[in-house]
Amino acid sequence: MTAIPQGRTRAATLVSAMCALVVTGTGLLGCSSGDPDAGTNGVGKLPADKIQSRTRTAAKSASAVRLSGTVVSNGATYTLDMRLKDDGGSGSVTSKNGTFRLLRVGEHLFLKADAAFWKHEDGERGGAGSAAAASKLEGKYVKVPSGDPAYQRFSGFTDKDLLLDGLLTLHGALATGGRQEQDGVRTVRITGDKGSGGTLDVSLEGVPYPLRLVRAGNAGTLRLSDWGKDFALKEPSKQETVDYGKQLPSS
């Protein structure tokens, strides 16, 4: 039996070590057998309906998430940047009427916006659009009464479970749509109705969280990140807050 030269043995060991590092460290498969699921969480091998079920379960179980991107609803386009968890959320929403901030802690919802927003809001309610009244609200957190129509309209943006249940639904026949990458993380794409019913990119690394959603009917694109990453959530101080009691001001 011919002895293997020591230098060749060391070279083979080095190559094996480098391949292991490439696979586990960067997700590249150049040294592997070509299996696209090597080093993944395995959901890429599942049928599309099973992938959707797994990712919905993962999302529902997460303690927190950040949603950023656009949502089209009832003909209006909103740009969101919201951080959400089970007991509330905070962030910004931009519409054609400007940008406003939302903060919900438990059942208490607060809204902060500029004077132009409040004048528009007042006009929708049939008020006179008083510039003086709007200026008093500018830059303040206004506590939104639970019985006010604005509470239902805006609180949904701060409700993690409600948003995810509504967003993570693809329409039509489900199918897998190949492998993608989001911010350096390998993903598998599932589609509804060949893409016209929406697409969802699911992480192939670690927990199978949804990372990117394109909604059906060109209804917006959202990035989902910071899964399970906690953040501070507390009510604004009394000095920062205006409380109008049972109904927001109209004129």
Side-chain angles (χ1 to χ4, degrees), residues 55 182-183 185-187 200-204 207 209-213 222-225 227:
T55 197
Q182 293 296 322
D183 297 327
V185 177
R186 287 178 293 170
T187 63
L200 187 64
D201 292 351
V202 178
S203 176
L204 286 171
V207 180
Y209 290 126
L211 300 184
R212 182 176 181 269
L213 168 71
L222 285 167
R223 179 173 174 265
L224 302 95
S225 60
W227 287 102

Side-chain angles (χ1 to χ4, degrees), residues 74-91:
N74 297 322
T77 299
Y78 300 92
T79 300
L80 311 181
D81 189 358
M82 300 294 302
R83 298 190 68 182
L84 310 170
K85 55 185 180 179
D86 292 335
D87 57 346
S90 67

Side-chain angles (χ1 to χ4, degrees), residues 102-122:
L102 291 172
L103 169 64
R104 183 174 64 84
V105 183
E107 298 300 317
H108 296 166
L109 177 66
F110 302 87
L111 190 157
K112 181 164 72 171
D114 60 16
F117 173 87
W118 288 114
K119 286 187 68 176
H120 178 84
E121 181 72 13
D122 187 39

Side-chain angles (χ1 to χ4, degrees), residues 19-29 32-45 179 185-187 203-207:
C19 287
L21 178 61
V22 167
V23 171
T24 59
T26 67
L28 300 176
L29 299 174
S32 73
S33 61
D35 180 3
D37 293 299
T40 73
N41 54 26
V43 297
K45 298 179 179 180
R179 306 307 173 91
V185 177
R186 287 178 293 170
T187 63
S203 176
L204 286 171
E205 302 178 17
V207 180

